[in-house]
């Protein structure tokens, strides 16, 4: 069975969304109906996660994601990536994120837990 990837989900949800495709349609491709998302100690259900994504999507003008490590073992998923986003107000943010989770039987995410930290832009001498 093939599994979804968080980097693909980020691209189509936030960084390169297709305005002709509704948010709920994209979420249905990647996240099971009983999906839960844990970040910084707070767990969101699928509806709360949808609201969070909609808010982020409205603030991001562009972004990239670079996968550093990714592993699947049965229904277990682990991934580490760096994303860089530009917000509508012109600020940029670069973060490294580690994600651990599980897949539903159909290969979509059932649960993801993430933690991360800000990465300073490379300094030039």
């Amino acid at each position: 069975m093939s599994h979804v990837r968080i980097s693909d989900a980020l691209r189509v949800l936030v960084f390169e969304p297709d305005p002709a495709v509704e948010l709920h349609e994209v979420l249905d491709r990647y996240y099971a109906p009983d999906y839960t998302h844990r970040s910084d100690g707070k767990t969101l259900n699928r509806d709360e996660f949808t609201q969070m994504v909609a808010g982020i999507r409205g603030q991001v003008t562009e972004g990239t994601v670079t996968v550093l490590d990714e592993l699947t073992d049965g229904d277990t998923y682990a991934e580490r990536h760096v994303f860089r986003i530009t917000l509508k107000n012109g600020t940029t943010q670069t973060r490294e994120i580690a994600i651990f989770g599980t897949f539903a039987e159909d290969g979509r995410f059932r649960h993801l837990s993430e933690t991360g930290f800000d990465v300073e832009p490379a300094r030039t001498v």
Side-chain angles (χ1 to χ4, degrees):
M1 168 190 299
S2 66
H3 297 100
V4 294
R5 300 178 69 208
I6 196 65
S7 56
D8 295 334
L10 286 171
R11 283 184 191 101
V12 298
L13 280 171
V14 181
F15 302 148
E16 303 165 15
D18 180 345
V21 180
E22 295 289 328
L23 176 59
H24 70 88
E25 292 178 60
V26 179
L27 287 168
D28 286 345
R29 286 185 216 155
Y30 294 94
Y31 302 94
D34 60 345
Y35 176 72
T36 56
H37 185 89
R38 184 170 173 81
S39 180
D40 298 326
K42 182 176 180 180
T43 301
L44 306 175
N45 64 30
R46 170 81 184 252
D47 291 336
E48 294 166 326
F49 177 71
T50 300
Q51 292 173 7
M52 180 192 73
V53 170
I56 292 169
R57 196 178 200 188
Q59 295 301 312
V60 174
T61 59
E62 65 180 354
T64 60
V65 59
T66 303
V67 176
L68 304 173
D69 300 295
E70 188 170 37
L71 174 68
T72 61
D73 183 13
D75 71 347
T76 303
Y77 181 73
E79 192 259 20
R80 184 172 63 100
H81 66 261
V82 173
F83 72 76
R84 179 170 162 58
I85 58 173
T86 302
L87 302 175
K88 284 185 177 179
N89 67 7
T91 61
T92 61
Q93 184 179 32
T94 304
R95 288 185 57 82
E96 182 173 322
I97 304 292
I99 296 177
F100 303 91
T102 57
F103 294 109
E105 294 78 18
D106 62 6
R108 294 183 291 172
F109 294 121
R110 168 156 291 136
H111 174 78
L112 293 176
S113 293
E114 71 174 66
T115 189
F117 55 89
D118 292 337
V119 177
E120 288 187 37
R123 294 183 181 165
T124 57
V125 179

